[in-house]
């Protein structure tokens, strides 16, 4: 077999491959012999059909299948011989497929980029540290109470944070507009669900009262037909209900499935959850900085095949997340290209760091991570056992741990500054940069 390689771009390779005719004929004959053993043809006993008849009936198909098999096998042999690492399936261009002659074809494909990860000492990391103070715990308990607010009918004028049951009809230029009317809608004043002025205009209203609100849709309103237009809403208040926060009692604690009884037991469990959230938030922020630093220090070209595959994965995820009748391939690729490129490049960089430093998952850390996740459940021992009985889930944890070890490797060489902050600041999500 003859093989020649041409580098057409930084990542694209063009393999010209010639396979001797004898190999093709051997493969064709093998196919025909297999067919002869099982062919059922009227007038002949199974396995006794003359080869001339087998060739006449099945020769063309056998050659086509044999050529396909030889191309697949010879391509693999060629990339191994040339020490190439394809990043996707090749595009095959046949040059000569004539029976009795050498098979000639060209395979065009991209290879994985070859690079060494560098620039560790130029990466700057701010590592936060924080504790869960008693005041943070008190705030969290209030948040939990508010999340479980109940509303009771009140015989008084409406205030902010009250829940109103209303009917309303909206008009633009004296005409009722689509989607501008509803009956029996529950609206919490101050929730900003409605356009500016709507909720404020109902403060002080009582059950049975009708109010007319003259408002203007925001200029950036999502419905362009209504954006910036004046509107009149006629609103009837059916009822006014005031918020009632639940008491911190056994009935409230039971909603969270916490075994510990009493307020102190509940506070202990909530604190554990907050501390777990804090550790994850700090770890996530450090990881994001490390990954951003690796990206900035190691610009690499991305194989188109990998980028396309990642775009397709993100399309599927988007459809699964948002539902609807849309098919993944109907979503524009441009929506996902930037995110896909980041993920592909980081995947290549992380894999290369693992290779450079010969990293392997630390099984003690794997168990610690599983135990940490299991601690959020009522029967943690069962959760740990489940992970160790499911190879796929266990390997996913190993991958996460290996990525953490990559982060630790970078931190040993990067410029790390430690900073003490409050719990709130530590767990606050990082805001995405605003586009210019």
């Amino acid at each position: 077999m003859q093989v020649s390689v041409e580098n057409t771009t930084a990542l694209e390779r063009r393999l010209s491959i010639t396979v001797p005719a004898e190999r093709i004929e051997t493969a064709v004959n093998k196919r025909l012999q297999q067919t002869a053993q099982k062919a059922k043809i009227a007038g002949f006993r199974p396995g006794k059909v003359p080869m001339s008849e087998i060739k006449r009936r099945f020769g063309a198909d056998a050659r086509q299948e044999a050529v396909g098999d030889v191309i697949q096998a010879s391509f693999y042999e060629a990339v191994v011989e040339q020490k190439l690492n394809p990043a996707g399936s090749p595009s095959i261009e046949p040059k000569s497929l004539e029976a009795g002659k050498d098979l000639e074809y060209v395979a065009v494909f991209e290879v994985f980029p070859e690079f060494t990860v560098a620039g560790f000492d130029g990466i700057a990391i701010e590592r936060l540290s924080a504790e869960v103070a008693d005041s943070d715990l008190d705030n969290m308990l209030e948040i939990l109470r508010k999340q479980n607010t109940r509303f009771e009918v009140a015989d008084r004028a409406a205030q902010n944070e009250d829940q109103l049951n209303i009917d309303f009809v909206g008009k633009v230029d004296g005409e009722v507009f689509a989607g501008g009317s509803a009956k029996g809608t529950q609206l919490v004043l101050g929730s900003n669900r409605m356009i500016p002025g709507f909720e404020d205009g109902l403060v002080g209203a009582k059950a049975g009262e009708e109010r007319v609100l003259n408002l203007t849709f925001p200029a950036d309103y999502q419905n362009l037909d209504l954006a910036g237009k004046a509107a009149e809403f006629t609103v009837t208040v059916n009822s006014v209900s005031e918020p009632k926060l639940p008491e911190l009692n056994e009935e409230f604690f039971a909603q969270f499935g916490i075994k510990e009884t009493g307020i102190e037991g509940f506070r202990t469990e909530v604190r554990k959850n907050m501390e777990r959230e804090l550790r994850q938030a700090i770890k996530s922020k450090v990881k994001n900085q490390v990954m951003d630093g690796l990206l900035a220090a190691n610009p690499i070209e991305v194989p188109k095949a990998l980028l396309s595959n990642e775009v397709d994965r993100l399309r599927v995820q988007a459809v699964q997340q948002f539902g609807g009748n849309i098919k993944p391939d109907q979503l524009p690729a441009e929506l996902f290209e930037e995110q896909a490129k980041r993920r592909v490049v980081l995947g290549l960089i992380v894999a290369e760091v693992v290779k450079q430093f010969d990293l392997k998952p630390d099984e003690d850390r794997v168990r610690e991570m599983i135990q940490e996740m299991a601690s959020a459940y009522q029967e943690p021992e069962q959760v740990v056992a489940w992970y160790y009985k499911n190879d796929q889930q266990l390997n996913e944890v190993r991958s996460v741990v290996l990525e953490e070890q990559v982060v630790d490797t970078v931190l040993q060489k990067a410029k790390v500054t430690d900073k003490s902050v409050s719990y709130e600041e530590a767990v606050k999500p990082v805001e995405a940069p605003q586009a210019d």
Side-chain angles (χ1 to χ4, degrees):
M1 185 173 75
Q2 297 178 352
V3 180
S4 64
V5 176
E6 179 186 356
N7 295 355
T8 50
T9 68
L11 296 181
E12 189 178 82
R13 300 293 179 268
R14 183 180 176 88
L15 273 184
S16 296
I17 301 173
T18 303
V19 181
E22 293 80 6
R23 180 171 176 179
I24 304 299
E25 296 310 315
T26 299
V28 172
N29 290 332
K30 184 178 179 181
R31 282 270 179 184
L32 290 173
Q33 289 168 3
Q34 292 172 345
T35 302
Q37 292 173 4
K38 56 186 178 182
K40 295 181 180 180
I41 300 176
F44 299 96
R45 287 182 295 164
K48 300 297 183 180
V49 183
M51 185 55 67
S52 58
E53 183 66 15
I54 294 293
K55 288 181 178 179
R56 187 182 71 80
R57 287 175 178 260
F58 305 106
D61 288 343
R63 178 167 295 278
Q64 184 177 358
E65 292 171 0
V67 167
D69 289 346
V70 170
I71 287 177
Q72 184 175 3
S74 60
F75 172 75
Y76 174 76
E77 294 165 11
V79 297
V80 171
E81 174 190 312
Q82 298 295 323
K83 298 179 180 178
L84 299 173
N85 190 7
S89 300
S91 170
I92 302 297
E93 304 172 6
K95 294 298 182 183
S96 173
L97 299 176
E98 188 176 344
K101 292 189 177 182
D102 292 347
L103 168 66
E104 296 179 19
Y105 68 94
V106 172
V108 180
F109 57 95
E110 288 180 302
V111 295
F112 283 92
E114 295 182 2
F115 63 99
T116 299
V117 183
F120 298 104
D121 56 356
I123 298 175
I125 306 295
E126 183 180 74
R127 183 168 52 196
L128 305 181
S129 62
E131 294 182 356
V132 179
D134 288 343
S135 58
D136 298 318
L137 180 57
D138 292 338
N139 289 337
M140 181 57 70
L141 295 183
E142 280 306 296
I143 290 172
L144 294 176
R145 292 179 70 200
K146 288 181 179 179
Q147 288 174 346
N148 290 272
T149 296
R150 297 173 183 172
F151 289 94
E152 296 180 1
V153 174
D155 185 18
R156 59 167 175 75
Q159 303 172 1
N160 263 331
E161 299 187 359
D162 283 348
Q163 184 182 75
L164 275 57
N165 183 287
I166 61 172
D167 303 334
F168 64 89
V169 176
K171 296 180 180 180
V172 171
D173 297 329
E175 298 291 334
V176 176
F177 60 89
S181 304
K183 285 187 175 293
T185 293
Q186 302 280 27
L187 176 64
V188 176
L189 299 187
S191 62
N192 297 319
R193 267 183 53 203
M194 310 298 278
I195 66 172
F198 192 101
E199 293 166 31
D200 291 342
L202 296 178
V203 172
K206 293 184 177 181
E209 184 177 342
E210 179 180 282
R211 288 195 174 184
V212 177
L213 309 176
N214 291 297
L215 308 173
T216 302
F217 281 96
D220 59 352
Y221 193 65
Q222 63 267 27
N223 185 339
L224 298 180
D225 292 335
L226 298 174
K229 291 189 176 180
E232 180 186 271
F233 290 90
T234 301
V235 185
T236 301
V237 178
N238 301 319
S239 65
V240 175
S241 298
E242 61 184 354
K244 294 288 185 181
L245 295 182
E247 295 295 324
L248 292 174
N249 53 27
E250 299 300 328
E251 180 183 357
F252 180 75
F253 305 152
Q255 297 180 51
F256 299 90
I258 293 176
K259 288 183 178 180
E260 299 292 338
T261 57
I263 182 62
E264 288 308 316
F266 185 69
R267 287 175 66 89
T268 297
E269 289 301 313
V270 173
R271 183 185 290 274
K272 286 181 182 178
N273 289 333
M274 293 175 69
E275 288 172 344
R276 187 183 303 113
E277 179 188 13
L278 177 61
R279 287 193 297 272
Q280 289 301 322
I282 291 174
K283 188 185 296 184
S284 177
K285 288 180 178 180
V286 168
K287 175 186 171 183
N288 288 339
Q289 293 177 75
V290 166
M291 295 304 170
D292 287 344
L294 288 173
L295 278 173
N298 297 276
I300 61 174
E301 190 169 344
V302 180
K304 296 183 181 67
L306 297 186
L307 181 59
S308 177
N309 289 341
E310 191 60 36
V311 166
D312 288 342
R313 272 193 286 270
L314 291 173
R315 281 168 158 167
V316 171
Q317 289 177 11
V319 170
Q320 290 173 341
Q321 181 177 355
F322 299 108
N325 297 321
I326 193 170
K327 295 180 179 178
D329 59 6
Q330 292 177 305
L331 296 172
E334 297 78 20
L335 291 176
F336 307 99
E337 282 180 352
E338 186 175 344
Q339 183 184 0
K341 183 176 181 180
R342 176 184 172 88
R343 288 171 65 160
V344 169
V345 173
L346 278 177
L348 293 172
I349 291 175
V350 167
E352 186 59 30
V353 173
V354 169
K355 179 182 175 183
Q356 281 180 219
F357 294 91
D358 193 25
L359 301 178
K360 293 178 175 58
D362 183 329
E363 292 301 328
D364 289 337
R365 290 180 64 165
V366 170
R367 178 167 286 276
E368 287 175 9
M369 178 171 287
I370 291 173
Q371 290 173 336
E372 171 89 356
M373 293 186 293
S375 66
Y377 295 85
Q378 291 188 25
E379 302 291 342
E381 299 84 2
Q382 293 182 11
V383 176
V384 172
W386 179 83
Y387 268 97
Y388 279 96
K389 289 179 182 177
N390 291 271
D391 288 342
Q392 182 178 347
Q393 282 73 24
L394 184 58
N395 287 332
E396 287 178 1
V397 177
R398 287 191 176 117
S399 295
V400 174
V401 167
L402 190 58
E403 200 169 80
E404 287 188 355
Q405 290 174 235
V406 169
V407 171
D408 291 345
T409 300
V410 176
L411 290 177
Q412 291 172 9
K413 303 174 182 300
K415 300 173 183 175
V416 181
T417 303
D418 290 304
K419 180 182 179 182
S420 296
V421 296
S422 67
Y423 168 83
E424 288 296 332
E425 184 174 347
V427 299
K428 183 172 66 174
V430 177
E431 294 184 4
Q434 297 293 317
D436 293 332

